[in-house]
Amino acid sequence: MAFTRRGILLGMGAAGGLIAAWALTPRQFAPPLHPGEGEYAFDAWLKIGKDGVVSVAVPDLEMGQGITTLIPQIVAMELGADWRQMAVEPAPVSGAYGNPVLAARWSQLWLPMLSGLADAPDGLLTRRMAENDAFVVTADGTSLAAHELAARAAAAGARAVLAQAAAAKWGVEWEECEAQDGFILHGRKRLPFAALLDAAADYSPPDPPVLRAMAPQERAADMPPGAQLHFVRLDLPSKVDGSHTFASDVRLPDMVHAAIRHGPIGAVRLGTFDAARAKGMPGFIKTVAGPHWLAAVADNWWSAEQALARIAPQFAVGDRADSKAIGAALRKALRSGAADRVATVGDPDTWLKSKFDHVALYTIAPALHAGVETASATARFENGRLELWAASQAPQALRLAAAAALDLAPGDVTFYPVAAGGSFDARLDSDHALEAALIAKDVGRPVQLTWSRWQEHLAGRPRAPSQAVLSARTAPDGSLVALGLRLAMPSSTRELGGRLFDQRSGKDALFLQSSSDRLAGEGLIPPYGIANLKIEHVPVEIGLPTTRMRGNSHAIGAFLVETFIDELAQRARREPLSYRMTMLAGDQRLAACLQRAATLAQWGGGGAGSGQGLACWKMQLDDRIGRIAVVASARRDDRGLRVDTLTAVVDIGRIVNVDIARQQIEGGLLFGMGLASGSSTSYAGGLPTTSRLGMLGLPQLADCPEVLVDFIEAGGEPFDPGELGAVVAPPAIANALFSAGSVRLHHLPLTAEQA
């Protein structure tokens, strides 16, 4: 994204701090950071204290992806700070941190009729929306693209005024000074940042900021696994000693706890219940009823949960979500539904009109997010004002929804962000926080609501189920001539948009499942050069609320395409690697990933009995591209699916932090392994059939394979690596199982009974 923010204003803030506020299209924001005693705030991004500590504001939700280290690292490298003196704090909800990159990607959600006017991050309409609506949303790997340049500019401005203050003391030009390890240097002279803060208030930074010539980055070759880290994750010490604050760790004076029961999925309302059954139970306080839920409040969560078990509320239910009906709706849509053409290359309709050389039907089950921490939120309602503590990927949407639910002005709702113990896009929704707010208002005391695992499965929204058919025409030598992919799937992103932007209820947003959704189709496009190609998405309403999940449509598309390509190679009696390489002439960087992965994994051709399978994929965010190739070694034994090794080679452009990038790829591969082995549920009578985490077939520590991750350093803007491994692991594992002797698997997860 080109640097377009101009007009940095620097002066003394009301709190006695040094404030630099952006002049944004065209207004200025009130400083979102409030410096404490002995602190000076620079712009919206950092504060420096007289103790030398540099505190960096992070607007994105930390959910394990390491953003609370990446943004401080960017600031530290640009500022020239000492990493041992870096600290981090969650940023308040403010338009100063608006995410225009995601606003452009999601323009169809907030500007459905004119989305083409707002599909560029630097467009005036997009930036105004991101800033005026405080669109601070953590999703789709956009954090670096949205915030890196602004954080660098703030750090560069702070470095400049500190250098000016030091240069005045030394009688030199400030441009001759350097910043390093928390000091301003000139020859043998040096002064710590802390000693220069008061004098720096008299100076203004250059406009535009003078950024360092080298953008923040690390070389993978210098950081092999086990190497000493230059930038240790800032969140690790507190996570290791247990002091890190997740949503369920919040404690307030006079706080009580709530458990909840939701009705089955479908047309539902709360029916009869007898709260007197819980009378006399230790710790029980009262019940609070919602339109389709009942909560019990007690002085501890277990007492509240046991009270609900004794009360056993009943629900009046109309239509109920059911897997048989969902499957029938998907089959009907796949067969005869109106499709959106996502992509067309060449003349696929002629090639695929009446004859196919190979056809395959696929079924993808609903997938649950299965975060370690279930939904939890704490609310306090006093004197007509609401305070909320929760982990949210969309905090402003949460504030607006809470204000509407309690009939408050948005300014009367204060949100305190806390970290998430896993999310994978589940915390784009905030039903639990709204429920906590309603319960707190009724009880008149601070309340922490925590969903049980069963309620998380029931009231949380899964990744949408889908069905697809792939068809191919091939040349006499087996080469792919024409490929057709038709996918029937609800438009989950449009449905989410109805909840986020229009504040629709989950039930009211269901009709959007049958709307056109360009994001549902973006992940279906193969990375290969195919002469004749057509990709179609059939949006369909299924009666089951859905949402986005790590990898999104790419996780569907990669599984469909990469397993089907393997089938074509096998039918042509061609080696899977070379079969793919012939179609990658247009993407030499992905071909390089594939070749290196094969070399590192000692690829033997993927022949029968080898247990080896490979897959590759490409994801793109504007001009940022992430590429990955994986070779899996897998088999089945008496314990079920076994994955022995996963070897990945990744090209994500400039790498800001090699260790975090490696963690994200490794974690993504294991997440994808979970999607391959389980993570799914079916529905009967409006209820999920899996009630516990142990029923999801997730890999345990003993099941985790040896994982090798290597990087190709080829330049370009950094691409977020968090979803790449999750996308490509399932097809690689499926292909490995076939080579190990399994039948071809057209179902996800790769359960034996559905093979």
Side-chain angles (χ1 to χ4, degrees):
M1 182 174 66
F3 181 70
T4 58
R5 293 175 173 179
R6 302 292 298 274
I8 298 175
L9 306 177
L10 196 64
M12 292 299 293
L18 192 62
I19 304 297
W22 291 108
L24 294 173
T25 61
R27 66 186 182 86
Q28 301 170 19
F29 289 98
L33 290 186
H34 299 285
E37 184 70 26
E39 285 186 326
Y40 291 77
F42 294 80
D43 199 273
W45 292 94
L46 69 143
K47 300 182 295 186
I48 303 178
K50 290 192 173 182
D51 57 359
V53 174
V54 179
S55 299
V56 179
V58 176
D60 300 287
L61 173 65
E62 176 60 73
M63 44 191 172
Q65 81 277 36
I67 195 62
T68 49
T69 295
L70 287 173
I71 290 181
Q73 177 186 339
I74 289 165
V75 168
M77 296 179 80
E78 186 66 49
L79 178 62
D82 185 343
W83 188 246
R84 295 169 298 179
Q85 293 184 293
M86 298 297 295
V88 64
E89 63 180 63
V93 180
S94 168
Y97 307 108
N99 186 338
V101 178
L102 188 62
R105 279 181 59 77
W106 287 7
S107 59
Q108 65 169 354
L109 307 184
W110 56 272
L111 197 66
M113 303 302 294
L114 299 169
S115 61
L117 300 178
D119 58 4
D122 288 330
L124 180 62
L125 191 61
T126 307
R127 287 186 289 122
R128 280 186 172 171
M129 179 273 181
E131 295 155 3
N132 295 343
D133 294 352
F135 183 69
V136 186
V137 177
T138 309
D140 282 17
T142 57
S143 295
L144 280 181
H147 302 314
E148 180 183 14
L149 199 54
R152 285 188 67 192
R159 172 167 47 82
V161 295
L162 292 169
Q164 290 172 20
K169 293 179 180 291
W170 296 329
V172 299
E173 297 295 326
W174 76 269
E175 293 89 348
E176 299 173 2
C177 298
E178 181 55 272
Q180 182 178 321
D181 295 332
F183 291 86
I184 299 296
L185 310 174
H186 185 272
R188 295 185 177 181
K189 304 184 187 74
R190 70 176 194 168
L191 286 170
F193 290 169
L196 297 167
L197 291 174
D198 290 332
D202 296 328
Y203 296 92
S204 296
D207 178 14
V210 180
L211 303 179
R212 293 185 186 272
M214 290 290 293
Q217 62 182 304
E218 293 182 335
R219 293 185 67 250
D222 298 334
M223 301 292 295
Q228 183 174 353
L229 304 180
H230 301 299
F231 300 96
V232 179
R233 284 185 64 149
L234 295 179
D235 56 342
L236 283 187
S238 58
K239 287 180 176 177
V240 169
D241 67 19
S243 62
H244 200 82
T245 302
F246 294 98
S248 57
D249 294 323
V250 173
R251 294 292 181 269
L252 301 176
D254 198 34
M255 187 182 84
V256 292
H257 295 262
I260 198 165
R261 292 290 188 276
H262 298 91
I265 302 167
V268 60
R269 60 181 175 81
L270 179 63
T272 60
F273 65 94
D274 185 2
R277 294 180 179 179
K279 187 176 181 180
M281 290 187 66
F284 174 71
I285 298 172
K286 66 176 299 187
T287 59
V288 179
H292 55 271
W293 51 265
L294 180 71
V297 181
D299 59 13
N300 65 86
W301 183 84
W302 183 247
S303 293
E305 178 70 10
Q306 293 305 300
L308 282 176
R310 183 174 295 184
I311 294 169
Q314 303 296 306
F315 294 89
V317 185
D319 296 333
R320 304 187 184 203
D322 186 88
S323 287
K324 291 183 179 179
I326 291 170
L330 291 171
R331 285 192 297 273
K332 181 179 178 180
L334 185 63
R335 182 173 59 251
S336 58
D340 295 325
R341 184 66 67 95
V342 174
T344 303
V345 177
D347 187 15
D349 293 316
T350 298
W351 280 95
L352 299 170
K353 184 176 182 180
S354 59
K355 179 183 178 183
F356 310 129
D357 294 318
H358 187 53
V359 180
L361 177 67
Y362 287 81
T363 302
I364 312 295
L368 300 177
H369 297 80
V372 173
E373 181 186 44
T374 60
S376 182
T378 302
R380 178 165 58 196
F381 183 80
E382 291 180 351
N383 303 318
R385 295 184 63 85
L386 174 68
E387 295 174 283
L388 278 170
W389 290 258
S392 175
Q393 294 176 245
Q396 181 67 351
L398 186 157
R399 288 183 67 233
L400 295 176
L406 272 64
D407 196 23
L408 300 174
D412 291 330
V413 178
T414 301
F415 174 73
Y416 302 100
V418 291
S423 174
F424 318 118
D425 282 352
R427 299 300 171 246
L428 286 168
D429 285 298
S430 54
D431 305 66
H432 59 295
L434 305 186
E435 294 166 352
L438 291 168
I439 297 168
K441 183 178 181 180
D442 185 283
V443 174
R445 294 170 63 180
V447 171
Q448 181 174 97
L449 170 66
T450 302
W451 287 3
S452 67
R453 181 64 61 179
W454 165 240
Q455 294 301 307
E456 179 90 2
H457 289 186
L458 174 62
R461 299 176 177 92
R463 183 181 72 183
S466 59
Q467 292 186 16
V469 61
L470 277 75
S471 52
R473 287 287 302 277
T474 56
D477 66 351
S479 300
L480 182 58
V481 174
L483 174 67
L485 189 160
R486 181 178 171 90
L487 174 75
M489 183 177 72
S491 295
S492 294
T493 307
R494 293 297 302 273
E495 181 188 357
L496 172 67
R499 299 193 297 267
L500 278 185
F501 295 99
D502 302 332
Q503 294 178 23
R504 297 181 184 272
S505 67
K507 177 183 175 182
D508 291 341
L510 280 177
F511 81 95
L512 292 168
Q513 290 184 342
S514 57
S515 304
S516 295
D517 183 359
R518 69 186 184 199
L519 292 174
E522 69 165 358
L524 307 179
I525 301 173
Y528 305 107
I530 301 173
N532 301 281
L533 171 72
K534 67 174 179 180
I535 307 293
E536 295 178 329
H537 168 229
V538 185
V540 53
E541 185 175 343
I542 61 172
L544 173 70
T546 65
T547 194
R548 291 170 72 77
M549 178 182 274
R550 189 176 191 176
N552 296 300
S553 61
H554 286 275
I556 304 297
F559 179 73
L560 299 176
V561 170
E562 285 299 273
T563 54
F564 191 71
I565 290 293
D566 238 54
E567 289 189 47
L568 295 178
Q570 179 231 342
R571 287 173 56 85
R573 300 181 184 276
R574 300 263 296 274
E575 189 268 329
L577 173 62
S578 62
Y579 192 83
R580 286 172 168 82
M581 292 295 293
T582 61
M583 297 186 290
L584 284 175
D587 193 340
Q588 293 296 315
R589 290 172 66 166
L590 183 56
C593 291
L594 194 56
Q595 287 179 316
R596 184 179 293 187
T599 300
L600 292 176
Q602 298 182 1
W603 171 255
S610 69
Q612 284 189 316
L614 54 78
C616 62
W617 201 249
K618 176 172 69 176
M619 299 178 68
Q620 185 163 355
L621 174 66
D622 298 328
D623 60 341
R624 300 163 188 255
I625 301 177
R627 299 171 174 89
I628 186 170
V630 168
V631 176
S633 178
R635 56 193 164 84
R636 291 196 186 278
D637 61 16
D638 54 0
R639 293 181 56 191
L641 172 62
R642 303 289 291 173
V643 180
D644 296 314
T645 60
L646 290 170
T647 303
V649 174
V650 186
D651 178 348
I652 54 172
R654 169 169 55 90
I655 304 174
V656 176
N657 186 302
V658 171
D659 188 58
I660 289 179
R662 185 179 290 114
Q663 292 173 24
Q664 285 293 285
I665 297 296
E666 291 172 347
L669 290 169
L670 295 180
F671 186 89
M673 181 178 163
L675 292 174
S677 63
S679 300
S680 68
T681 186
S682 57
Y683 294 86
L687 301 175
T689 57
T690 54
S691 59
R692 304 189 308 274
L693 197 64
M695 298 175 66
L696 289 180
L698 300 176
Q700 300 180 18
L701 186 60
D703 303 318
C704 291
E706 178 184 357
V707 178
L708 172 64
V709 177
D710 194 22
F711 295 94
I712 290 180
E713 300 180 69
E717 287 300 298
F719 183 87
D720 187 290
E723 297 185 340
L724 287 171
V727 162
V728 80
I733 293 170
N735 292 336
L737 290 177
F738 174 77
S739 71
S742 172
V743 297
R744 280 290 178 190
L745 302 172
H746 292 160
H747 190 282
L748 196 62
L750 308 173
T751 49
E753 62 270 21
Q754 294 166 319

